[in-house]
Amino acid sequence: MRQTLTILAVFTTAAAVASVATGAPQMQRQTIAEAVASPTRSPANVARDQYRHPVDTLNFFGVKPGNTVVEIWPGGGWYTEILAPLTRAKGSYYAAVGPDFPNGGKAVETLKAKDTALYGHAQLVAFPAQAGQPKVPDGTADVVLTFRNVHNWRMGYKRGNVDYSPEAFAQMFAMLKKGGTLGIEDHRLPESASAEREKTSGYIKVSTVRRLAEQAGFKFVGASEVNANPRDTADWPQGVWTLPPSYTLKDVDRAKYAAIGESDRMTLKFRKP
């Protein structure tokens, strides 16, 4: 009888552990999905969910409500509308804005002023941070995310066309805790294409991003195809900006580019050892 009870106890404990193991990711995904489904998001941003897949993307990166999350170059605040409310109760959110700081971050400032309860905890810092500028303290971030920005650093955006991607990766490495995650999404250039196109097209090779990350000390964890678009051939007249949402050619072949949709994007996950 005692042996039967012991076996039963072991089985019950194992089942409980298995339940926690399977339940935690489901709960994480559900929490992200609730933030994405919030009515506080702008309709224009919601309309792009079909291309940006925020639930699957953030779930792949392992973002949790209690994390200290850094978003590098939040741009118009598309992901800010999700990440800031997601981390409001238990975590922290840093919006690391571009080289025109402190004039950047206007979208985040607008959100903070509009709804203090949801966005008031968002902290604006500089990136890449220069001496004397506010920055994310070293070794404090659980997750650093950057969406469609590595190509900008590679192209030398706001830096006279001088590639400063190594500097950017070094600063992201420094701000993460040991074991922290770096999540990258960017426009994907085919590996067979000339590397020169990385300087003008807005597309960048997966191998280039991996090299930059690994040279900075990151370990590659894995890739997701959640943001892939096989209709994008990455060879458009005005680079990636030919496609939506930019439509650089305006009304020229607009229906054609609308049918293609937004760019083919890599989604890569790295870890700081």
Side-chain angles (χ1 to χ4, degrees):
M1 181 65 175
R2 180 176 299 172
Q3 183 179 8
T4 301
L5 290 174
T6 301
I7 294 173
L8 180 60
V10 170
F11 176 81
T12 302
T13 301
V17 170
S19 177
V20 170
T22 58
Q26 292 173 353
M27 185 178 298
Q28 171 186 306
R29 183 182 179 86
Q30 179 61 32
T31 304
I32 294 170
E34 289 171 357
V36 170
S38 171
T40 61
R41 295 181 64 209
S42 68
N45 285 349
V46 172
R48 294 183 65 199
D49 286 358
Q50 62 178 313
Y51 303 116
R52 303 199 66 176
H53 313 102
V55 176
D56 290 328
T57 299
L58 296 179
N59 189 61
F60 174 69
F61 291 145
V63 179
K64 301 177 179 65
N67 287 160
T68 293
V69 177
V70 180
E71 183 184 2
I72 306 293
W73 288 19
W78 197 94
Y79 261 108
T80 304
E81 284 193 344
I82 299 170
L83 292 169
L86 180 67
T87 56
R88 176 181 59 86
K90 300 178 181 179
S92 301
Y93 171 74
Y94 286 92
V97 301
D100 56 338
F101 189 84
N103 295 322
K106 291 181 180 178
V108 178
E109 292 172 342
T110 298
L111 287 171
K112 285 167 66 74
K114 178 181 177 182
D115 193 332
T116 303
L118 282 180
Y119 304 104
H121 71 295
Q123 301 178 65
L124 282 165
V125 293
F127 184 87
Q130 305 300 312
Q133 291 183 317
K135 67 173 190 173
V136 179
D138 290 352
T140 60
D142 296 294
V143 182
V144 173
L145 303 173
T146 189
F147 302 97
R148 302 178 303 152
N149 287 314
V150 180
H151 71 274
N152 285 314
W153 310 333
R154 180 79 166 145
M155 292 168 64
Y157 178 69
K158 296 284 188 177
R159 294 286 190 91
N161 299 322
V162 176
D163 180 2
Y164 57 97
S165 50
E167 174 189 353
F169 274 88
Q171 289 200 17
M172 292 190 294
F173 188 87
M175 65 180 66
L176 276 164
K177 299 175 181 176
K178 289 184 178 180
T181 294
L182 170 64
I184 293 176
E185 176 200 305
D186 215 326
H187 312 295
R188 178 164 46 190
L189 184 68
E191 291 296 320
S192 59
S194 168
E196 288 298 308
R197 290 177 57 194
E198 292 183 341
K199 299 178 182 179
T200 58
S201 69
Y203 291 93
I204 189 169
K205 296 182 181 184
V206 170
S207 59
T208 299
V209 176
R210 284 197 58 174
R211 173 176 55 81
L212 290 166
E214 290 165 358
Q215 285 178 344
F218 287 102
K219 300 297 182 183
F220 178 66
V221 175
S224 169
E225 289 298 296
V226 64
N227 293 303
N229 180 0
R231 295 185 298 275
D232 177 15
T233 56
D235 58 355
W236 311 113
Q238 295 296 320
V240 72
W241 304 282
T242 306
L243 299 177
S246 298
Y247 289 116
T248 302
L249 296 179
K250 298 182 179 179
D251 291 333
V252 176
D253 292 328
R254 190 179 183 93
K256 168 188 171 180
Y257 298 125
I260 292 167
E262 295 193 15
S263 67
D264 175 52
R265 294 165 187 163
M266 68 183 83
T267 306
L268 309 178
K269 184 176 180 179
F270 298 89
R271 178 179 58 85
K272 178 177 178 175

